[in-house]
Amino acid sequence: MTRGEFDVAIIGAGSAAGALVGHLAGHGLDIVVFEPDLVGGECPFLACMPSKSMLHDAGSGRSWDDAVRRRDDIVSHLDDSDHAEGLRDQGVALVRERAEIAGVGIVRAGGAEYAVTDIVVATGARAIAPDIDGLDLEHDRVWTSRDALSTSDRPASVVMIGGGVIGSELAYLFAGFGSQVTTLDESERPLDTFHPEVSRLIGEHLTRLGVEVVNSVSVERVELSDDEAAVHLADGTVHRAERLVVATGRRPRLSGLGLESLGVTLEDLDVDDRGGVVGADHVWVAGDAAGREQYTHVANAHGAVIADQLVGSGTRRYGDSVIPGCIYIEPPVITVGPRWTELEGDDDVVRVEIEVDPPRNSTDEHATGFLAVAARRSTGCVVAANGIGARFDELSHAIVIAIDGHVPVERLRRTLQPFPTVGGVLGDAFGRLADELAGQRR
């Protein structure tokens, strides 16, 4: 049975799909979206929004029960009706079935086949289960971030395998509500792609909250029972907790989609900077499924890029914009541009590092922060920033504009920031960076 012809089929209805539909609106295209799970994806229901809500409440003194009630209201009690209706209001045919590609221009779902011109894979990512003896993501004692952010039960103790962005936020969250938390990570320091001082301060703030931060360890095996999870390290140490949270990253959800029917193997899948699958015309991959930076704002940008390929100038690319990211612990952490460790050894890069203690820290009782900013000698423009400090998540916007706009550092040093905002630290940072660049040229 074949159901109609569509210009665009989107497999998955998360952030990338929503952005793509929005950018295609008004172009007269027939669009079908397939989603067997939550329309809107994980961000509004099981990731970004519930985590930020709970992180806020953990730091503001709300009780666990009140925080859960507020979180559940924010995620609409996992009711995606508004998101689904939003797609339908834009003229999209929404099919609440799992879909797979059955060949060139054919998508199969719910026993029916759909003839399409372009196929966009926007299926997101799933939690990675590291190869550890005894680890079972299906066991009641084991949680992924999805479980941790939808639970109504506060565990008395948590062991976290993985101390990256997700691990740090979840450690802050549960410790803030009184759980005993331990993070285990094989890297030498927390978030080891960040500036060393930023890493140190992340660990310091988590430790001050009561988190046991353990780095440079290797997990040998896991023992799971009805009562606890026991994590055995290679050095013989054992960490026990009521819950084991696995936060070791996420990989694109691509298996079972039928890409092989197009002659594409998952091992060799290559997504170009336009979002297109190399070797398969009219097939695109967006958002977390593309295997790039896994942020909602990146997924939204992917949707815009693919829309430009389909109905625009075809000039937009995934790599057009600098990518910012935040860790929403307190104080928040920012990274803008390349990972800080990628700049090491680059002779064209000039860096400045400043301790951040603006007057606003005194009035609002904030702790001292840290900011590192880098520029290129060859262009005289900012290329990256990394820092931790009060309200730095909002500070990141100005840095993004400085980098994306290719604004010379010498011009940036003359900009004004309202007193006494935290943004005032940028004047100091840009001024020192301009002096450093001038000194290098002399």
Side-chain angles (χ1 to χ4, degrees), residues 246-298:
V246 178
T248 49
R250 297 164 63 81
R251 68 164 53 97
R253 189 182 282 113
L254 297 171
S255 61
L257 293 178
L259 287 164
E260 296 84 356
S261 70
L262 304 176
V264 176
T265 63
L266 298 187
E267 294 76 14
D268 299 325
L269 179 68
D270 185 13
V271 180
D272 65 27
D273 212 35
R274 303 173 308 121
V277 174
V278 176
D281 293 340
H282 299 283
V283 182
W284 315 83
V285 185
D288 289 359
R292 304 194 179 202
E293 299 288 350
Q294 295 180 349
Y295 297 112
T296 296
H297 45 282
V298 171

Side-chain angles (χ1 to χ4, degrees), residues 372-441:
V373 185
R376 290 201 171 277
R377 293 190 186 95
S378 55
T379 64
C381 296
V382 178
V383 66
N386 204 182
I388 177 171
R391 300 193 178 122
F392 269 27
D393 50 331
E394 300 299 337
L395 191 67
S396 62
H397 300 297
I399 301 172
V400 168
I401 292 171
I403 299 175
D404 264 344
H406 305 287
V407 184
V409 173
E410 187 56 48
R411 180 67 187 87
L412 290 170
R413 80 181 303 172
R414 289 179 277 149
T415 60
L416 299 177
Q417 289 80 34
F419 183 85
T421 61
V422 172
V425 305
L426 291 177
D428 188 13
F430 293 147
R432 294 193 197 186
L433 201 52
D435 290 341
E436 199 67 29
L437 286 167
Q440 293 287 339
R441 287 194 290 268

Side-chain angles (χ1 to χ4, degrees), residues 20-28 31 90:
L20 174 57
V21 167
H23 285 285
L24 293 178
H27 288 276
I31 303 171
Q90 295 178 82

Side-chain angles (χ1 to χ4, degrees), residues 146-320:
R146 180 178 179 131
D147 303 311
L149 293 171
S150 58
T151 183
S152 296
D153 300 322
R154 183 188 67 82
S157 56
V158 174
V159 170
M160 192 97 52
I161 298 180
V165 174
I166 294 174
S168 295
E169 288 192 349
L170 291 178
Y172 183 92
L173 189 161
F174 284 112
F177 285 112
S179 299
Q180 179 184 337
V181 180
T182 300
T183 63
L184 307 173
D185 199 275
E186 61 184 7
S187 64
E188 294 183 359
R189 54 187 172 86
L191 293 133
D192 60 353
T193 62
F194 285 56
H195 188 287
E197 180 63 7
V198 175
S199 289
R200 187 189 71 79
L201 289 170
I202 291 171
E204 182 180 284
H205 285 294
L206 288 173
T207 299
R208 188 177 299 138
L209 192 61
V211 177
E212 182 182 4
V213 180
V214 184
N215 283 87
S216 300
V217 297
S218 176
V219 177
E220 189 172 74
R221 72 180 193 279
V222 170
E223 291 182 349
L224 303 171
S225 69
D226 292 339
D227 301 318
E228 67 173 14
V231 181
H232 296 255
L233 305 184
D235 64 3
T237 305
V238 181
H239 293 272
R240 303 177 186 278
E242 182 181 324
R243 297 288 178 184
L244 169 60
V245 177
V246 178
T248 49
R250 297 164 63 81
R251 68 164 53 97
R253 189 182 282 113
L254 297 171
S255 61
L257 293 178
L259 287 164
E260 296 84 356
S261 70
L262 304 176
V264 176
T265 63
L266 298 187
E267 294 76 14
D268 299 325
L269 179 68
D270 185 13
V271 180
D272 65 27
D273 212 35
R274 303 173 308 121
V277 174
V278 176
D281 293 340
H282 299 283
V283 182
W284 315 83
V285 185
D288 289 359
R292 304 194 179 202
E293 299 288 350
Q294 295 180 349
Y295 297 112
T296 296
H297 45 282
V298 171
N300 292 339
H302 286 183
V305 169
I306 292 177
D308 182 64
Q309 307 305 315
L310 297 180
V311 297
S313 65
T315 59
R316 293 193 63 171
R317 297 291 185 269
Y318 279 2
D320 284 346

